Amino acid sequence: VMEVHFPPTQQPVNSERVLFLAGPIQGAPDWQGAAIAYLTPRLEKYPVIIASPRRPNVIIGDTRPEFTERQYNEQVDWEHVYLNHANKWGVTLFWLAAEQEHHCDRAYAQTSRFELGEAMANEMIRARARSLVSPGLAIGIEPGFTNERYIRRTFASKLPFIKIRDTLLDTCLDAVIALRGC
């Protein structure tokens, strides 16, 4: 039965399937909530954990107060656990939402871009190790996301079997299909 986990609690166990929702939070709309609403009826009877790094108390347009050092470490550690779990036993869904609200003190989607690079490297290793292509990634880019052209070109040349979608719904559908193939 599907579960949704948010930081900082609830850790996956052993080989539970995980669908990690990777993508921008600060300055982005609550796309994670929309993804969960779309995924729930499609996965509710499937044994999977949807891991959303957006804490439920973050309101759209609200400037989240700075994390304490402890909260920051807790958030990063939580994300690493779920990202690693999804890499081994599930799927990472990247939705690169266009920036909705600019924050001058932070590059938009800086963590997501780093995570996408790691995911690409992991997927390249996985693709070389298997004969059948069943990606552990579902990727979508909203029009207006900066550097979209580079990301699309790089994936097309390095992982051409991964289709980059233009809508969140199509990206979620790819994730569902990939999860069922795990």
Side-chain angles (χ1 to χ4, degrees):
V1 175
M2 186 200 82
E3 298 176 20
V4 180
H5 293 189
F6 301 96
T9 58
Q10 303 170 328
Q11 300 295 309
V13 179
N14 300 323
S15 61
E16 287 181 303
R17 300 279 184 245
V18 170
L19 172 57
F20 187 90
L21 303 180
I25 295 174
Q26 188 173 10
D30 182 13
W31 67 266
Q32 294 90 347
I36 291 167
Y38 180 80
L39 292 164
T40 297
R42 287 154 182 84
L43 294 174
E44 65 188 348
K45 295 180 182 169
Y46 191 74
V48 65
I49 294 168
I50 298 175
S52 174
R54 182 184 290 264
R55 292 172 183 244
N57 59 350
V58 174
I59 299 167
I60 297 173
D62 187 24
T63 53
R64 180 171 55 187
E66 282 297 311
F67 282 168
T68 64
E69 190 68 21
R70 183 188 63 75
Q71 290 171 317
Y72 173 81
N73 291 336
E74 182 178 73
Q75 177 81 20
V76 171
D77 292 347
W78 185 94
E79 290 180 21
H80 287 175
V81 165
Y82 280 92
L83 278 166
N84 290 337
H85 217 83
N87 184 51
K88 290 178 186 172
W89 296 294
V91 173
T92 303
L93 181 157
F94 278 91
W95 177 244
L96 302 177
E99 185 175 28
Q100 179 176 312
E101 182 182 322
H102 184 69
H103 297 269
C104 294
D105 61 334
R106 179 181 169 90
Y108 181 67
Q110 67 185 23
T111 303
S112 301
R113 293 169 196 270
F114 185 86
E115 291 168 346
L116 183 61
E118 282 187 313
M120 175 183 265
N122 288 336
E123 194 63 30
M124 289 171 68
I125 291 166
R126 286 169 47 167
R128 284 189 205 116
R130 63 177 181 250
S131 57
L132 292 175
V133 177
S134 177
L137 292 176
I139 303 171
I141 304 176
E142 183 176 24
F145 183 83
T146 56
N147 214 17
E148 172 185 0
R149 186 170 62 163
Y150 176 80
I151 294 167
R152 286 183 183 278
R153 180 152 176 89
T154 301
F155 268 87
S157 69
K158 295 185 181 206
L159 294 168
F161 58 89
I162 294 180
K163 303 297 180 224
I164 297 180
R165 303 301 182 182
D166 298 320
T167 69
L168 178 59
L169 295 183
D170 286 342
T171 309
C172 288
L173 183 57
D174 282 355
V176 170
I177 292 166
L179 265 175
R180 291 184 177 160
C182 288

